[in-house]
Amino acid sequence: MAAVTASMVKELREMTGAGMMECKKALVEADGNIDQAVDVLRTRGLAAVAKKAGRATNEGTVMAIVSDDATSGAVVELNCETDFVGMNDKFKAYAEKIAQAALASKPADLEALKAADAAGETVEAVVTDAIHTLGENIQLARFAVVEGGAVSSYIHGGGKIGVLVQFDVEGIDPASDGFKQFGRDVAMQVAAAAPVAATRESVDPAIVEHEKAIYMAQAAESGKPEAIQEKMATGRLEKFFKESTLTEQPFVKNPDQSVSEYAAEVAKNLGGEIKIVDFKRFVLGE
């Protein structure tokens, strides 16, 4: 039997666009004959992957999941060509399988995720199978993993926005129903209100400087004394923080209280402490 080399696998991959493991299996089956291996892949429908690789992927889904103990979570964006496939349950199942792989392996980057195990096959093989099954170009766009403390998720619009929120908790079980409802509410807030950061302290200093410069320029146009201009700019910056940071935003379900006030209320009811730490917000196609 002819030996299958890495260079042969590489050549077959470039010819067909099929996954590495599929190419290796096909070459073994074809006893090292490249042309026969292409036929093996074509028979399985995998060689068609190459023809789809150049097509635009502007649709898809964002999938966010949380571990059973609610202490870690993963969010992935999987892209396809049409909204019809993007909303398909099979497509969403592929996205969830990839998210589970990300949660389990906590890869460093996209290439590491593609090589990660997903229930006995690589994530790259899962994507290839999705292409073969659904007949569209499908691309894994990005992912994020959050771990530590408590983590909650929310998916909006059937996968148009996916959110993970991370909390520090004391004296509260993150997997309890009371905390789960609270966490979902806060994640829903992130989806709806698009904060720039979790707290004013965590806003990028460059954003703060940019906003302040605009407010100072606006105040200067008023023609008022410099001390008044400074107060005007500071007031507008304060308004920016209250509108744009998660903890200070009015809670969407009860605008009479801020998100941090809602967190304090829930913490008191659950007999512990809750601090909102960070969030990840993926919008499809961004």
Side-chain angles (χ1 to χ4, degrees), residues 123-201:
V123 166
E124 186 173 28
V126 171
V127 174
T128 300
D129 185 51
I131 294 168
H132 169 49
T133 304
L134 298 169
E136 288 195 0
N137 183 18
I138 292 168
Q139 300 287 335
L140 181 54
R142 55 180 169 155
F143 78 99
V145 175
V146 170
E147 56 181 327
V151 181
S152 298
S153 68
Y154 176 71
I155 299 169
H156 176 73
K160 300 301 183 191
I161 302 173
V163 172
L164 294 175
V165 184
Q166 185 178 20
F167 308 86
D168 273 344
V169 293
E170 281 186 34
I172 297 171
D173 177 8
S176 66
D177 289 341
F179 185 84
K180 276 185 175 178
Q181 181 58 55
F182 160 75
R184 179 180 162 81
D185 282 345
V186 177
M188 193 186 298
Q189 172 91 23
V190 173
V196 299
T199 64
R200 68 167 64 196
E201 292 78 19

Side-chain angles (χ1 to χ4, degrees), residues 42-65:
R42 285 186 65 192
T43 302
R44 292 178 184 159
L46 292 171
V49 168
K51 293 176 185 174
K52 299 181 178 78
R55 303 205 305 235
T57 52
N58 301 321
E59 297 293 342
T61 196
V62 176
M63 180 64 65
I65 62 164

